[in-house]
Amino acid sequence: MKTASYHILRVGMAITFIWIGILIIKSPESWGGYVQPWVTNFLPLPLEQIMIGTAIFDIVIGILFLVDWQVWVAGLLGALHLLSVLIVSGITDITVRDVGLLAATLVLMLDSLPIKLKFIRPITQRFS
Amino acid sequence: MTFEALIFTFSILGISETVYLIKKRILSEKPVCPVNEDCTKVLSSKYNKLFLIPNDVLGLIFYIVCSLIAAFLVIIVQPLSLWYMLLSVLVFVGSVISMYFTYLQYNVIKAWCFWCLMSACTIWFMGVTILLNNILL
């Protein structure tokens, strides 16, 4: 059985991911301003479209967290996404909070791993 | 933005509560009842449906609609005044129905359900947020 702290973290992360997705849809060009100039040279699509795609991706991750379904997948995707954000934005005064969010997504992923992936579990439980 | 963020946050909390209750009902499991053990008594009472639809499903639909309206207000999907009015009416009706359900728990079923009270408080907080937004703006 999952603990109350797990559910509080899960719902909190759901709110964060869905809300950020909505804010990016509102003004994708502003959020695109955080992307480092060197990254834009490698983008296959216009930055605005990439940001809209990112927003939808964030909302999907948030919904998975919210309905408590495939949380480990959402945690994995969220962690990879946040890692990519830290790479393309750099760690600034604003993006430093993503380090905490990255840690939270990893916690949710590791805490909701399915039995099929039990070979990872002993590694995570070794620290307890 | 603060107003929409609060309405959205309360709606998401409501979605998480109702999804939890729906899951437990479908799996025929007892929900965790942090305050006392009366949740099942309330949730399995004859008042657990409104217009033949389970209250948790009605609640989920209500919260999803409210979160969508909050998102529309943020993204500026026109007509904003219509969305705002619809949200106000929905939350007002939701608050009244929540008062009725709280009365049922207190006086008719004579048992308290933690999740029902939490959902009622969530809707009332949404109502207070709308009232404060009207007063302050």
Side-chain angles (χ1 to χ4, degrees):
Chain A
M1 183 194 275
K2 302 283 185 195
T3 59
S5 51
Y6 165 85
H7 291 294
I8 291 167
L9 180 62
R10 179 177 60 77
V11 175
M13 290 299 287
I15 293 169
T16 304
F17 269 88
I18 300 173
W19 188 245
I20 288 289
I22 291 168
L23 292 181
I24 294 175
I25 288 173
K26 187 191 177 192
S27 49
E29 66 289 342
S30 313
W31 286 84
Y34 289 111
V35 177
Q36 297 278 339
W38 64 267
V39 179
T40 51
N41 299 328
F42 298 101
L43 296 178
L45 292 168
L47 183 58
E48 198 170 318
Q49 285 182 29
I50 295 279
M51 293 313 292
I52 293 288
T54 304
I56 294 166
F57 189 60
D58 279 341
I59 291 172
V60 170
I61 290 172
I63 290 172
L64 289 177
F65 279 145
L66 183 60
V67 297
D68 201 9
W69 185 71
Q70 299 292 336
V71 172
W72 75 275
V73 176
L76 177 64
L77 292 175
L80 291 173
H81 174 51
L82 284 162
L83 205 59
S84 71
V85 169
L86 290 173
I87 292 168
V88 301
S89 309
I91 301 178
T92 64
D93 288 350
I94 295 164
T95 57
V96 72
R97 73 189 65 174
D98 292 340
V99 177
L101 292 175
L102 172 62
T105 52
L106 287 172
V107 167
L108 288 172
M109 183 194 82
L110 293 173
D111 218 32
S112 55
L113 280 173
I115 298 165
K116 279 185 288 186
L117 295 172
K118 61 184 175 187
F119 63 93
I120 300 174
R121 285 195 162 184
I123 302 168
T124 61
Q125 285 165 356
R126 208 170 289 164
F127 295 93
S128 59
Chain B
M1 182 67 84
T2 311
F3 163 74
E4 290 92 347
L6 282 171
I7 292 291
F8 184 80
T9 302
F10 287 131
S11 303
I12 295 292
L13 285 177
I15 291 174
S16 70
E17 291 159 15
T18 48
V19 165
Y20 173 74
L21 287 177
I22 291 170
K23 269 187 182 174
K24 289 291 172 187
R25 184 167 52 78
I26 290 170
L27 296 170
S28 302
E29 289 177 0
K30 281 185 178 180
V32 174
C33 214
V35 181
N36 50 38
E37 294 302 319
D38 289 344
C39 287
T40 315
K41 191 178 173 185
V42 177
L43 293 170
S44 58
S45 74
K46 63 175 180 175
Y47 302 102
N48 66 359
K49 284 183 183 141
L50 204 64
F51 313 120
L52 300 173
I53 304 169
N55 293 339
D56 46 20
V57 175
L58 281 175
L60 178 63
I61 294 167
F62 168 83
Y63 289 121
I64 288 174
V65 171
C66 287
S67 61
L68 284 175
I69 293 175
F72 290 165
L73 289 172
V74 170
I75 303 169
I76 313 179
V77 177
Q78 299 293 347
L80 290 183
S81 54
L82 177 73
W83 294 127
Y84 189 81
M85 195 181 73
L86 186 63
L87 180 70
S88 304
V89 171
L90 269 175
V91 172
F92 175 75
V93 173
S95 298
V96 173
I97 293 174
S98 294
M99 278 177 201
Y100 171 64
F101 283 140
T102 307
Y103 164 78
L104 286 177
Q105 289 175 71
Y106 174 67
N107 221 19
V108 180
I109 307 169
K110 297 188 190 299
W112 293 107
C113 160
F114 171 79
W115 297 102
C116 313
L117 290 174
M118 202 162 147
S119 182
C121 288
T122 306
I123 296 176
W124 292 333
F125 278 129
M126 288 167 82
V128 170
T129 307
I130 291 173
L131 278 178
L132 285 176
N133 189 55
N134 285 334
I135 294 166
L136 298 173
L137 288 180

